[in-house]
Amino acid sequence: MSDQDHRSPPASPIVPPGNIAGQAMALVVAIMSFLACLTVGGVSLVGQSAATWQSQISREATVQIRPARDFDIETALAEAQAIAADYEGVRSARIIGREETLGLLEPWLGSGLGLDELPVPRLVVITIDETAPPDFAAMRAAITEAVPNATLDDHRAWVGRLVAMARTTTLAGLAVLALVMAALVMTVVFATRGALAGNHEVIEVLHFVGARAGFIARQFERRFLVIGLQGAAAGGAAAVAVFLVTGFWASRNLTSAENEQLSAFFGDFSMGAIAYVGVALVVVLVGALTMVTTRVTVLRVLYEIDEKRADPSL
Amino acid sequence: MLAQAQKAIRERCGLIRFDNVGLRYGLEPEVLSDVSFHIPAQSFQFLTGPSGAGKTSLLRLLFMSLRPTRGQITLFGKDVLSLDRREMPMLRRRIGVVFQDFRLLSHMTIFENVALPLRVRGKEVASYRRDVSELLDWVGLGDKLNALPPVLSGGEKQRVAIARALIDQPEILLADEPTGNVDPPMARRLLRLFIELNRSGTAVVIATHDLGLMEQVDARRMILSNGHLDVFG
Ligand SMILES: Nc1ncnc2c1ncn2[C@@H]1O[C@H](COP(=O)(O)OP(=O)(O)OP(=O)(O)O)[C@@H](O)[C@H]1O
Ligand SMILES: [Mg+2]
């Protein structure tokens, strides 16, 4: 018989190829990775929006002047505007004119009302250089001294509340993320162990024909790394698809009035780079976890075989 | 010097030595008690006794698949109880085992099953293809190299298991009922294979309760009964 006659087909892998347990593991890992990636995306969206609110709102301050009897509100407005515009860190100070104020109030009061007939407060809108804000305390003192009816609102209360809210939301998001990641870790560990359970026989046989522990562990690591990465990549890809679809949908639909509130809260729904980096990290994490779990599990099975005693009381 | 000393120890103790070994499963009475014997290099022996006497258990102690409840086991001059786990693979490579239940890997072909011990030792297919095919020819499976174990008959599986145990020419072969599933002519043929292997220097231990088989060879007999071992010859 020549060597050609019994040339066998390429060698089978030492670990049995894709079985039901492997598919189940890939599916479970895919679902958990998908949820983890969505959470990462959600948290990054909230963080991003919070930063936007904060900078938009702290870009402005307003002076409000209440009308009173025998009080020339126009002069007072001009005076307040002049004082504010003098401060360093103020980009501009603009008086909201009669017509504009009327326009602002129209939805509530209806049209056809003379402003003179109603004691309506008037506003000076101050635009601020965010990077070097003016000394609000000094400005407030100067304005109220000149115009006792005026109050300066630097929106600090709003900003404070928003920052607190954004922080709470981000913290809550991070807590959810931590829980989801913990669940992901456990799922990967259990799915890997479950898929390995059907391979005890293989581990045992390799062991008794003299394979070293490292050799056995390597065979399984390779196979399970592939399964884990397939699952994680599928889950990550699905999450990225969701990000892209919501971003596209938002850009198409967020022009109608009711959606302006939505976009005011969440920006344009487009995911920042952080979300995509997060997805990549989830995939890498899952890969690393499957490898480590496989190694630890295989080595423990081998340890148990070696330490097996007929009499456990010893 | 050290090598010489080790050789001297091995010659005195044989490949394997049991001293007052006892074994019990859980809280049951001892399956083996005060078992003492040694297996000299290149020896040939049958291990026999009624079903349930503890033959398989004794073999498991021999290839470190089980630890004894008490007593001392010396393998290739080393005390098994104090052996470092990392040394075990190297010792196991010097022992060939035929399991009573074969333990073939069903996703691998017959050829690959038999070649497995060589593969885990890091050898290339090209270097052992011929040897594996020849051995399989010898056990009458030359035409089934690419079959998978699940389609084989019990006797064929048994022969694959034997071939796998022999392929790397172990110093000692432990076979648990190696003729349990074959007809008398095939049993004689396998026995001749074991004898030939023994002549080429491998110590052989065959656990069996096949009296017909034992009558064919004048060999040592280790008889287990009621937990005690008696050695004849
Ligand atoms: N894993 C185990 N746990 C508990 N008891 C066991 C275990 N393995 C074997 N025994 C018991 O130990 C005794 C010896 O079993 P063993 O398999 O060694 O016998 P044997 O001589 O090989 O029998 P056979 O000829 O039927 O193969 C039996 O009573 C059996 O029930
Ligand atoms: Mg048995």
Side-chain angles (χ1 to χ4, degrees):
Chain A
M1 228 195 266
S2 80
D3 261 11
Q4 308 280 313
D5 288 334
H6 42 254
R7 179 140 299 180
S8 41
S12 315
I14 282 179
V15 179
N19 49 22
I20 306 291
Q23 284 169 18
M25 171 180 164
L27 183 66
V28 169
V29 170
I31 293 172
M32 280 313 296
S33 306
F34 174 69
L35 294 179
C37 291
L38 281 194
T39 315
V40 170
V43 170
S44 89
L45 191 62
V46 168
Q48 218 175 298
S49 310
T52 316
W53 301 336
Q54 208 174 317
S55 76
Q56 276 176 356
I57 249 172
S58 57
R59 218 176 287 154
E60 285 185 346
T62 40
V63 178
Q64 191 187 87
I65 299 176
R66 288 180 304 279
R69 247 176 235 288
D70 304 325
F71 176 68
D72 183 0
I73 200 158
E74 294 299 337
T75 322
L77 281 166
E79 210 170 328
Q81 179 192 26
I83 294 171
D86 246 18
Y87 275 83
E88 206 152 311
V90 172
R91 286 229 171 95
S92 68
R94 186 173 69 89
I95 298 171
I96 306 285
R98 275 168 182 268
E99 301 303 313
E100 213 179 329
T101 309
L102 195 63
L104 285 173
L105 293 173
E106 205 181 81
W108 284 277
L109 303 178
S111 54
L113 279 167
L115 268 187
D116 296 333
E117 297 165 31
L118 270 175
V120 176
R122 300 279 303 275
L123 301 175
V124 178
V125 173
I126 303 167
T127 313
I128 290 154
D129 180 1
E130 285 165 80
T131 53
D135 180 353
F136 284 113
M139 195 195 287
R140 180 175 290 117
I143 290 174
T144 40
E145 199 191 330
V147 187
N149 285 2
T151 49
L152 172 70
D153 180 2
D154 60 6
H155 298 180
R156 204 174 285 170
W158 275 102
V159 173
R161 249 182 264 170
L162 267 178
V163 168
M165 182 179 142
R167 260 195 212 138
T168 316
T169 317
T170 311
L171 278 182
L174 287 177
V176 171
L177 183 63
L179 287 177
V180 171
M181 292 315 274
L184 175 74
V185 169
M186 283 191 258
T187 308
V188 171
V189 170
F190 285 126
T192 309
R193 279 208 215 143
L196 263 174
N199 287 302
H200 271 207
E201 168 108 28
V202 179
I203 298 177
E204 229 169 66
V205 169
L206 289 171
H207 189 57
F208 289 129
V209 300
R212 289 177 195 278
F215 175 89
I216 302 176
R218 264 195 309 284
Q219 308 302 317
F220 283 91
E221 267 169 21
R222 266 184 235 153
R223 162 64 42 78
F224 282 78
L225 175 66
V226 170
I227 297 175
L229 283 183
Q230 277 172 349
V240 167
V242 169
F243 295 167
L244 292 177
V245 166
T246 43
F248 178 71
W249 170 83
S251 70
R252 287 284 298 275
N253 293 281
L254 286 191
T255 43
S256 65
E258 67 200 60
N259 282 327
E260 257 162 39
Q261 293 157 338
L262 259 184
S263 66
F265 270 113
F266 294 114
D268 52 3
F269 268 103
S270 69
M271 287 294 167
I274 290 182
Y276 294 99
V277 171
V279 170
L281 285 181
V282 165
V283 174
V284 171
L285 174 73
V286 168
L289 270 174
T290 33
M291 270 188 76
V292 171
T293 308
T294 304
R295 188 169 191 86
V296 168
T297 310
V298 170
L299 292 182
R300 199 173 46 208
V301 168
L302 291 175
Y303 179 80
E304 278 162 12
I305 295 174
D306 278 341
E307 295 302 310
K308 197 172 218 165
R309 287 167 186 277
D311 184 353
S313 66
L314 274 175
Chain B
M1 273 302 282
L2 190 66
Q4 265 176 355
Q6 277 179 342
K7 194 168 170 242
I9 290 172
R10 202 179 304 161
E11 267 159 16
R12 207 174 38 208
C13 310
L15 296 177
I16 297 177
R17 184 183 183 91
F18 273 42
D19 289 300
N20 299 313
V21 170
L23 177 77
R24 69 154 54 104
Y25 289 101
L27 298 173
E28 308 280 305
E30 282 190 322
V31 173
L32 302 173
S33 40
D34 289 319
V35 169
S36 299
F37 65 92
H38 78 289
I39 293 174
Q42 304 176 18
S43 59
F44 191 107
Q45 47 261 299
F46 290 109
L47 171 62
T48 187
S51 182
K55 300 183 289 296
T56 301
S57 304
L58 184 63
L59 289 183
R60 287 183 66 193
L61 289 172
L62 284 177
F63 68 89
M64 297 176 287
S65 144
L66 209 57
R67 285 175 177 255
T69 310
R70 59 191 175 86
Q72 192 181 29
I73 298 177
T74 316
L75 217 71
F76 302 114
K78 292 187 175 159
D79 180 5
V80 167
L81 276 179
S82 59
L83 195 63
D84 187 342
R85 290 183 63 229
R86 280 165 300 184
E87 282 186 72
M88 290 185 182
M90 292 333 255
L91 290 191
R92 287 199 174 99
R93 288 179 188 188
R94 299 162 71 175
I95 307 174
V97 185
V98 182
F99 296 93
Q100 195 167 9
D101 53 358
F102 319 131
R103 310 248 185 131
L104 303 175
L105 297 184
S106 50
H107 69 283
M108 286 186 181
T109 64
I110 302 310
F111 177 92
E112 287 167 338
N113 266 285
V114 173
L116 191 65
L118 302 173
R119 197 164 161 191
V120 305
R121 286 157 178 69
K123 296 195 177 145
E124 291 299 320
V125 191
S127 70
Y128 58 69
R129 186 179 314 242
R130 245 185 104 89
D131 294 340
V132 173
S133 305
E134 274 175 14
L135 183 57
L136 279 167
D137 271 346
W138 215 98
V139 296
L141 292 170
D143 54 343
K144 295 221 159 104
L145 293 188
N146 295 319
L148 295 175
V151 306
L152 299 185
S153 75
E156 286 168 333
K157 283 183 198 159
Q158 188 133 50
R159 284 178 272 155
V160 177
I162 291 171
R164 185 180 65 188
L166 297 185
I167 188 63
D168 198 36
Q169 297 174 332
E171 284 171 55
I172 179 164
L173 176 83
L174 309 174
D176 199 351
E177 304 283 356
T179 57
N181 291 274
V182 296
D183 55 17
M186 180 51 82
R188 275 198 295 279
R189 197 162 154 197
L190 291 176
L191 185 62
R192 257 192 294 141
L193 177 66
F194 292 134
I195 292 169
E196 205 168 293
L197 183 78
N198 177 240
R199 289 214 180 100
S200 71
T202 300
V204 176
V205 181
I206 299 174
T208 183
H209 36 215
D210 182 350
L211 287 173
L213 191 75
M214 286 186 281
E215 271 158 16
Q216 292 171 43
V217 202
D218 183 27
R220 272 177 103 206
R221 294 194 189 178
M222 301 163 61
I223 302 175
L224 266 178
S225 63
N226 301 319
H228 293 280
L229 182 80
D230 297 301
V231 182
F232 299 92

